[in-house]
Amino acid sequence: DDYKQWAKEYHSRGRSSGSQDSPAVSRKDERRNEARLRQQTANARKPFEKKLAAIEKELEPLSAESKLNEAWLAAPEAYDEANRERLQAALRRRGEIAERITQLESDWLWNQAQMEEAVRANTA
C-alpha cells in the first residue's frame, strides 16, 4: 500500500511539472546531490575506518594467542608440578590479554559510535 501511494505521488509530480526537460534536469541534479552525499559520507567515515581497521588488526593476533593459551590451560599437563612456572606465566598472560582485548573492543565500539555520529551529522 505504501508503495502504491508513493508511486501515485511520484507519477503525479512528474505530470504536473509541465515540461519534459525539467524532469531530466532535476534527475541530473538529484544524481549529483546523491554523489555529493556519498562522497561526504565516505569522507566522514574514512578516519574512523582506519582506526577500526588498526584495532581489528591488533585484536586478531591477541585472539589467536588467547585461544592457544586457553587450550594449554585446559590441558591436564598444565597443572603438573613441572609446569608450575609456565602455568603462572600463562595465567598472568591470560589476564593481560583479556584486559587488552576488553580495551580494544571498547575502543572499537566507541570509534564505531563516533563514525555513525559523524556520518549522521554530515547527512543531516
Side-chain angles (χ1 to χ4, degrees):
D1 291 336
D2 290 337
Y3 175 76
K4 287 180 184 178
Q5 179 65 28
W6 174 82
K8 183 188 264 185
E9 290 173 5
Y10 179 80
H11 290 297
S12 69
R13 280 185 283 168
R15 288 186 195 134
S16 65
S17 65
S19 170
Q20 291 295 357
D21 293 335
S22 179
V25 171
S26 66
R27 178 64 184 146
K28 185 177 181 180
D29 289 340
E30 183 179 321
R31 292 173 76 189
R32 191 173 286 144
N33 286 335
E34 289 172 356
R36 182 184 50 76
L37 183 60
R38 279 192 308 273
Q39 186 63 42
Q40 285 177 338
T41 301
N43 289 340
R45 292 175 59 103
K46 188 176 283 188
F48 296 104
E49 287 175 341
K50 287 181 181 180
K51 290 176 188 175
L52 292 171
I55 291 169
E56 290 168 359
K57 187 176 181 178
E58 188 175 346
L59 267 172
E60 190 175 319
L62 285 173
S63 295
E65 183 181 353
S66 177
K67 287 179 185 176
L68 289 173
N69 200 12
E70 291 296 325
W72 188 80
L73 288 170
E77 65 268 6
Y79 301 94
D80 290 342
E81 188 62 35
N83 291 327
R84 180 180 222 154
E85 288 181 27
R86 184 175 174 198
L87 174 63
Q88 289 175 347
L91 290 171
R92 193 171 27 258
R93 183 65 182 148
R94 177 186 186 192
E96 293 168 356
I97 291 171
E99 186 177 327
R100 185 63 184 147
I101 287 175
T102 300
Q103 181 62 46
L104 288 170
E105 288 173 345
S106 177
D107 291 349
W108 190 94
L109 290 171
W110 185 84
N111 277 293
Q112 183 71 27
Q114 292 297 310
M115 180 177 68
E116 290 172 6
E117 187 176 311
V119 168
R120 200 173 17 255
N122 273 337
T123 58

